[in-house]
């Protein structure tokens, strides 16, 4: 270690590591030294106090520290040691984290709102609001976290596979849209799955908070899939504090069977999980097992805080299901005509060649229509209505194909020879036209009953009266 002298009472000691020690000798204070690392040019302040000086008051110690720092600054002006800014000298010498310079005592800190968004902003054009033409210039900030959340929401809304994010074409497309997005920032399918679970948990907490203290109207339905699995869906409708109507799915799950008590226990379990303690109504179809479900819930929820009139009026029969039963009985009257038209539509849609032949006959007859034939699901009368609504527009095409197209006529001839139905004739289309007029009333009423953005129970009487 070598040493040198800057002036009276001041000395410098240098270590092999490149650290200089500045010592100030004073009869009143023990010693004060400042160390600077030449490799980082980062100064820091330290003090050494002997046992006698340790008994001094905090104010005296702070004053001595400041005087020593000022003396060091003055003596170091003529030397090679770089100047130390005043802000590095602690006001109290205790490293409490307060502002270093005394000058900051005369200022008030103001938060800059433009620094809330991290990252450098860029200018972009976006369409004006309220349908105005043109664009407006706005500042935007790119965030990998925001893009990941938007990606997870896209997969949820569009019902995409998780693996779509790992495709080469997808990665190339998103990096073209946003050059700041690096390929390594595009999440994998496992990361997307975790992000979706995170969104689910966040939305679940928000919904649970919204349902707290609310009475709800419930709708439940059960069905059996092609794999012979039983499913149940439980939906709730409620009005929030701002008088806005909401519809939310509370549970979608498998059930062991369609027994009333099994469904009732599932509903009770779901309500307890969501913290719901008040039910206005439970809307179900006319299946006999639902009577058992309603009685079970009336019994187990009778003492809940939000119970109204002991749940005597909780049971609501589904209006759409009542209309479905009425239409089902009416379809039996013209079942043969509907079956022939359905078979004709199935023939046309069974292959591209048959569909093209159908279009050729349309052109020959000078018919132009944007409507396309659609095949119904026999157990869903609303799809049968849509099928008949479009098929009746092409009555002339079907009748012309019957005696000009050998493939069409032979298809129905074989059907008829084997005990099946023949091709639809003019009387069949007339029956369907007449019935479509009646079905339109039921179809519109069912659509109104099935709405979710408005209250439907008050529309029941008016729609039934019109029918």
């Amino acid at each position: 270690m070598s040493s040198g002298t800057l002036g009276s009472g001041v000395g410098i000691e240098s270590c092999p590591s490149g650290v200089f020690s500045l010592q100030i000798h004073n009869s009143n204070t023990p010693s004060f030294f400042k160390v600077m690392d030449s490799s980082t040019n980062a100064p820091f302040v330290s003090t050494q106090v002997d046992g006698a000086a340790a008994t001094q008051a905090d104010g005296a110690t702070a004053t001595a520290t400041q005087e020593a720092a000022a003396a060091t600054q003055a003596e170091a002006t003529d030397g090679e040691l770089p100047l130390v800014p005043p802000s590095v000298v602690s006001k109290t010498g205790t490293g409490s984290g307060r502002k270093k310079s005394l000058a900051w005592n005369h200022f008030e800190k103001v938060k800059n709102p433009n620094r809330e968004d991290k990252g450098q902003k860029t200018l972009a054009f976006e369409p004006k609001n309220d349908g105005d033409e043109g664009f407006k210039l706005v500042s935007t900030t790119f965030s990998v976290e925001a893009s990941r959340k938007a990606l997870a929401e896209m997969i949820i809304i569009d019902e995409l596979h998780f693996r779509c994010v790992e495709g080469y074409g997808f990665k190339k497309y998103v990096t073209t849209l946003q050059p700041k997005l690096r390929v390594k920032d595009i999440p994998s399918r496992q990361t997307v799955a975790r992000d979706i679970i995170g969104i689910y948990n966040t939305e679940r907490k928000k919904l649970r908070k919204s349902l707290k203290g609310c009475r709800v109207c419930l709708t439940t339905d059960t069905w059996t899939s092609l794999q012979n699995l039983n499913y149940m869906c439980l939906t709730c409708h409620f009005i929030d504090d701002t008088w806005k109507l909401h519809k939310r799915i509370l549970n979608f799950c498998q059930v062991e069977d369609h027994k009333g008590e099994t469904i009732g226990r599932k509903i009770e379990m779901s309500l307890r999980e969501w913290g719901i303690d008040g039910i206005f109504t439970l809307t179900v179809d006319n299946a006999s097992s639902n009577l058992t479900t309603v009685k079970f819930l009336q019994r187990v929820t009778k003492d809940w805080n939000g119970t109204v009139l002991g749940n005597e009026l909780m049971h609501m029969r589904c209006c759409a299901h009542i209309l479905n039963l009425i239409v089902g009985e009416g379809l039996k009257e013209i079942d043969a005509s509907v079956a022939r038209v359905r078979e004709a539509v199935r023939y046309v849609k069974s292959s591209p060649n048959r569909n093209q032949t159908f279009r050729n006959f349309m052109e020959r007859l000078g018919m132009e229509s944007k409507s396309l034939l659609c095949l119904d699901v026999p157990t869903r009368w609303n799809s049968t209505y849509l099928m008949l609504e479009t098929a009746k527009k092409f009555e002339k095409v079907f009748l012309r194909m019957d005696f000009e197209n050998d493939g069409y006529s032979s298809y129905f001839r074989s059907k008829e020879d084997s005990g099946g139905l023949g091709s639809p004739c003019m009387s069949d289309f007339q029956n369907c036209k007449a019935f479509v007029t009646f079905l339109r009333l039921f179809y519109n009423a069912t659509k109104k009953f099935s709405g979710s953005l408005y209250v439907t129970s008050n529309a029941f009487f008016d729609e039934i009266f019109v029918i």
Side-chain angles (χ1 to χ4, degrees):
M1 177 179 293
S2 62
S3 62
T5 303
L6 290 180
S8 175
V10 180
I12 295 180
E13 293 185 358
S14 62
C15 300
S17 61
V19 179
F20 292 89
S21 174
L22 177 63
Q23 295 186 349
I24 303 173
H25 302 284
N26 190 302
S27 59
N28 297 326
T29 58
S31 66
F32 172 88
F33 64 90
K34 165 167 42 70
V35 180
M36 176 172 293
D37 190 342
S38 60
S39 61
T40 61
N41 200 28
F44 65 89
V45 177
S46 176
T47 59
Q48 290 182 349
V49 184
D50 57 12
T55 60
Q56 295 180 359
D58 292 341
T61 303
T63 303
T65 302
Q66 294 173 5
E67 291 176 353
T72 303
Q73 196 73 333
E75 294 294 341
T77 304
D78 298 331
E80 297 180 356
L81 198 64
L83 294 177
V84 181
S87 59
V88 303
V89 182
S90 176
K91 180 179 177 181
T92 60
T94 59
S96 61
R98 297 176 62 185
K99 295 301 180 182
K100 307 298 182 182
S101 176
L102 294 174
W104 288 109
N105 294 334
H106 303 282
F107 294 88
E108 293 183 1
K109 187 176 181 181
V110 178
K111 187 177 182 181
N112 187 351
N114 295 326
R115 293 189 176 272
E116 293 180 357
D117 298 329
K118 297 182 179 179
Q120 184 177 4
K121 291 190 174 183
T122 57
L123 297 178
F125 292 95
E126 68 176 22
K128 293 183 178 179
N129 299 329
D130 302 328
D132 296 337
E133 296 183 357
F135 297 86
K136 59 182 179 180
L137 188 65
V138 296
S139 60
T140 60
T141 304
F142 171 71
S143 171
V144 176
E145 291 76 14
S147 65
R148 276 182 53 181
K149 182 180 179 182
L151 176 61
E153 292 176 349
M154 179 193 74
I155 292 176
I156 295 172
I157 296 172
D158 296 339
E159 300 179 1
L160 302 176
H161 295 288
F162 292 169
R163 65 174 180 270
C164 72
V165 299
E166 297 180 349
Y168 172 78
F170 175 80
K171 293 180 179 179
K172 182 178 179 181
Y173 176 68
V174 296
T175 52
T176 303
L177 291 178
Q178 177 52 262
K180 294 182 180 180
L181 182 65
R182 298 170 296 182
V183 175
K184 67 178 184 179
D185 293 330
I186 301 176
S188 64
R189 68 179 74 179
Q190 292 84 2
T191 304
V192 168
R194 289 194 296 269
D195 291 344
I196 290 176
I197 294 298
I199 293 175
Y200 168 78
N201 292 330
T202 301
E203 294 297 325
R204 182 181 177 87
K205 291 179 181 178
K206 290 167 57 177
L207 179 57
R208 186 180 180 88
K209 184 178 180 181
S210 301
L211 291 172
K212 187 176 182 180
C214 288
R215 291 190 180 97
V216 299
C217 295
L218 302 175
T219 302
T220 185
D221 193 14
T222 57
W223 66 93
T224 303
S225 68
L226 295 176
Q227 294 80 17
N228 202 29
L229 299 175
N230 303 315
Y231 289 93
M232 183 198 78
C233 182
L234 179 64
T235 308
C236 83
H237 305 261
F238 65 96
I239 298 176
D240 61 15
D241 295 336
T242 61
W243 289 92
K244 183 178 180 181
L245 180 64
H246 295 270
K247 172 189 174 182
R248 297 290 186 273
I249 295 178
L250 298 182
N251 198 1
F252 183 92
C253 62
Q254 283 187 241
V255 291
E256 293 79 10
D257 50 55
H258 291 271
K259 294 181 181 179
E261 187 170 343
T262 302
I263 304 301
R265 291 187 183 279
K266 279 287 184 181
I267 295 176
E268 180 194 9
M269 185 183 304
S270 297
L271 296 178
R272 292 188 181 278
E273 289 178 357
W274 286 101
I276 298 174
D277 60 356
I279 307 174
F280 268 132
T281 60
L282 174 64
T283 303
V284 291
D285 58 28
N286 291 327
S288 58
S289 60
N290 286 328
L291 295 175
T292 306
T293 300
V294 173
K295 291 180 180 179
F296 175 83
L297 289 175
Q298 286 177 333
R299 184 173 65 254
V300 299
T301 65
K302 189 174 183 179
D303 297 330
W304 287 13
N305 295 332
T307 301
V308 179
L309 298 177
N311 286 333
E312 295 179 4
L313 306 178
M314 184 175 67
H315 187 194
M316 289 288 292
R317 298 181 183 272
C318 179
C319 302
H321 188 256
I322 294 174
L323 293 184
N324 186 60
L325 295 177
I326 297 173
V327 174
E329 291 296 320
L331 282 172
K332 294 178 181 178
E333 299 294 329
I334 61 166
D335 185 60
S337 295
V338 173
R340 292 190 184 96
V341 173
R342 179 184 296 119
E343 197 63 34
V345 174
R346 181 179 286 110
Y347 170 85
V348 174
K349 295 184 68 65
S350 61
S351 72
N353 291 334
R354 292 175 177 178
N355 188 47
Q356 185 59 43
T357 301
F358 185 82
R359 289 183 175 275
N360 293 337
F361 274 95
M362 285 178 56
E363 294 177 0
R364 288 174 53 187
L365 296 174
M367 297 182 61
E368 293 183 1
S369 177
K370 295 181 179 179
S371 301
L372 299 177
L373 293 175
C374 60
L375 190 62
D376 72 329
V377 180
T379 56
R380 295 175 56 191
W381 70 265
N382 55 334
S383 66
T384 303
Y385 162 76
L386 295 176
M387 180 192 69
L388 298 178
E389 178 72 22
T390 55
K392 69 182 181 64
K393 299 177 182 179
F394 304 104
E395 175 186 354
K396 295 181 180 180
V397 180
F398 284 112
L399 295 177
R400 179 63 66 90
M401 288 178 61
D402 193 16
F403 62 86
E404 288 191 11
N405 185 265
D406 294 336
Y408 182 83
S409 57
S410 61
Y411 173 82
F412 282 99
R413 193 179 300 116
S414 62
K415 286 275 186 181
E416 192 172 5
D417 293 341
S418 62
L421 298 173
S423 60
C425 59
M426 186 178 296
S427 61
D428 292 327
F429 282 103
Q430 288 178 351
N431 289 337
C432 291
K433 283 182 180 179
F435 201 68
V436 163
T437 305
F438 293 99
L439 282 180
R440 186 176 294 112
L441 296 173
F442 289 92
Y443 181 77
N444 293 335
T446 301
K447 284 182 62 178
K448 192 167 185 178
F449 291 159
S450 303
S452 60
L453 302 179
Y454 50 86
V455 179
T456 58
S457 59
N458 60 328
F460 171 74
F461 181 81
D462 291 338
E463 294 300 322
I464 294 296
F465 177 78
V466 169
I467 291 174

